[in-house]
Amino acid sequence: MRIIFAMLGTGLSGGARYIFEVANRLKDRGYDVKILSLFGDHEWFKRLNVKVIYKQPDFYKTNLIIYKLYRTYLQLRYGVNKVKNMRPYDTFLNFSSGVLRIKPDYVRELMELIQHFDADVLVATYYMSAFSVWLSDTQAKRLYLMQDFPELVKENDGAQGLKMFRLSLKLLSRFVTVSSYARQLILEENPSAKVTIAHPGVDHDVFRPRQGIVDAGGKKKVMVILRGLKYKGDEVAVRVLNEVSKRIPLHAILVGSEELISKYSRTLGFDFSYSLFSGVNDETLARLYSSADAFLYTSYAEGFGLPPLEAMACGTPVVMTDSGGPRDYAVDGYNALVSRPGDVKSLAENLLRVLQDGKLRERLVENGLETARRFTWDSTAEKFEEALKEE
């Protein structure tokens, strides 16, 4: 069976990780698997053994001239060889879309790329690629891997993108998705759809209890991943840390960009000491989870929400919000302490409980480890394969 995953971009994200993990395992099971993408760089995922074929999308003529001038400027300033590693096309694409409001026609571009390859199954991986797959002139079976949710789409693409997202859920009849919450989003728009839930997995060779790498001089350590997206609840996380630091000495393990952390330090203020880690790989991420006395996760919405499950696999107790997707694994009082999204007071109280109550911490760690063991990428691929074989 020939399978094509149609992607807009392959940059670092939980959604791309899901595709790469599944694609690898399908290839190992004897399938002919390819990934088609308009832009991105998959080098961050070192273990990918599936071929990725890129086609840079065309610009409008004016935008193309501006891009060529931009690239020439970089070459003059930094040198030709260094510019090759700077991915100027991706940088300019983000700039032109966000600032100049000039975008290539992604749907048409990806559809035209798909036309060059024969497939038995075409897999859409984002709402725009669903339109490309739907419009493609092919006899291939069409499958929609739906990992998105309204808050993500609206933040990335605005109200018009949200309308297209909801419309995309009506286009196809077969879906694979990542959680019961995501399944419900599909069925609300397309009640007759066939939906297979294939939960994301955890790489247990990497995410396991490890030797910590952060020394906080006796302070309690709380790990937070900050992304700069509104639906991720970054500001809530900082406010929670500030509240808890009024009660006990606290050291935050912050994972995020220097620019973002500097911004939050100026605008929100940090009443706690912290260590900053940027651009971390999975190995380092696992050691950071293992370094922490607790992992704090404050999203307003998630399709699945993998980081709390990774933290559980590393033996780290989790304090988190009820953000939709995590309901398939997070049970309040059993393997995590769960609060309403945006509830700073409840999150702060729960975080204090975990940091101060040894018996509670021990119970959450034990049950978290047991929960995480049930989620593997092999089981994800098995469920995905079932969807491929369904008539």
Side-chain angles (χ1 to χ4, degrees), residues 45-286:
F45 192 85
K46 301 299 182 184
R47 297 173 286 104
L48 186 62
N49 56 26
V50 171
K51 186 175 183 180
V52 183
I53 301 164
Y54 291 99
K55 175 190 181 296
Q56 291 186 342
D58 296 329
F59 282 121
Y60 295 115
K61 185 175 181 180
T62 301
N63 217 21
L64 181 59
I65 294 171
I66 297 172
Y67 168 67
K68 288 181 177 179
L69 291 172
Y70 170 69
R71 184 179 178 87
T72 301
Y73 161 76
L74 291 179
Q75 290 174 340
L76 291 172
R77 180 170 181 179
Y78 299 106
V80 174
N81 291 332
K82 191 171 183 179
V83 168
K84 288 180 181 178
N85 297 322
M86 293 172 65
R87 305 212 306 270
Y89 185 86
D90 291 353
T91 302
F92 184 75
L93 195 61
N94 291 333
F95 173 76
S96 66
S97 299
V99 179
L100 302 180
R101 301 295 179 186
I102 302 173
K103 294 185 178 182
D105 184 348
Y106 293 131
V107 172
R108 177 183 60 81
E109 297 276 1
L110 187 56
M111 180 189 69
E112 291 178 355
L113 178 58
I114 290 170
Q115 303 294 106
H116 292 289
F117 299 90
D118 294 325
D120 299 301
V121 182
L122 277 177
V123 183
T125 59
Y126 186 55
Y127 78 89
M128 276 194 260
S129 69
F131 285 94
S132 302
V133 166
W134 179 64
L135 290 167
S136 297
D137 182 16
T138 176
Q139 297 302 311
K141 176 180 176 180
R142 295 168 171 87
L143 189 66
Y144 188 169
L145 169 57
M146 208 289 281
Q147 304 185 70
D148 310 315
F149 47 96
E151 292 81 358
L152 178 151
V153 174
K154 187 173 182 180
E155 185 154 352
N156 286 341
D157 298 322
Q160 189 62 39
L162 186 57
K163 290 179 181 178
M164 289 183 65
F165 165 64
R166 289 184 171 135
L167 179 58
S168 77
L169 300 180
K170 303 176 189 291
L171 298 178
L172 305 178
S173 60
R174 294 180 178 87
F175 292 78
V176 175
T177 196
V178 293
S179 67
S180 301
Y181 165 69
R183 179 178 184 273
Q184 186 58 38
L185 291 176
I186 296 167
L187 294 177
E188 286 172 1
E189 301 293 338
N190 189 348
S192 63
K194 295 182 179 179
V195 185
T196 298
I197 297 176
H199 293 117
V202 174
D203 184 345
H204 293 280
D205 290 333
V206 176
F207 295 100
R208 53 184 171 80
R210 312 288 289 271
Q211 181 70 37
I213 58 175
V214 178
D215 181 8
K219 294 181 179 180
K220 293 295 185 180
K221 294 170 285 188
V222 179
M223 179 176 168
V224 181
I225 300 173
L226 300 174
R227 300 285 179 79
L229 299 168
K230 185 176 180 180
Y231 75 86
K232 290 291 186 181
D234 287 2
E235 292 190 10
V236 173
V238 174
R239 290 170 62 194
V240 170
L241 293 174
N242 281 338
E243 284 296 316
V244 172
S245 68
K246 296 175 183 177
R247 303 277 296 276
I248 61 173
L250 191 69
H251 185 85
I253 301 171
L254 303 180
V255 178
S257 70
E258 291 186 21
E259 181 181 6
L260 183 64
I261 304 307
S262 177
K263 172 189 170 184
Y264 289 149
S265 180
R266 292 192 312 271
T267 58
L268 301 174
F270 291 168
D271 298 332
F272 47 85
S273 61
Y274 67 92
S275 302
L276 172 60
F277 296 85
S278 302
V280 299
N281 56 27
D282 286 352
E283 183 76 16
T284 302
L285 192 61

Side-chain angles (χ1 to χ4, degrees), residues 315-326:
T316 306
V318 173
V319 174
M320 62 186 295
T321 48
D322 177 13
S323 54

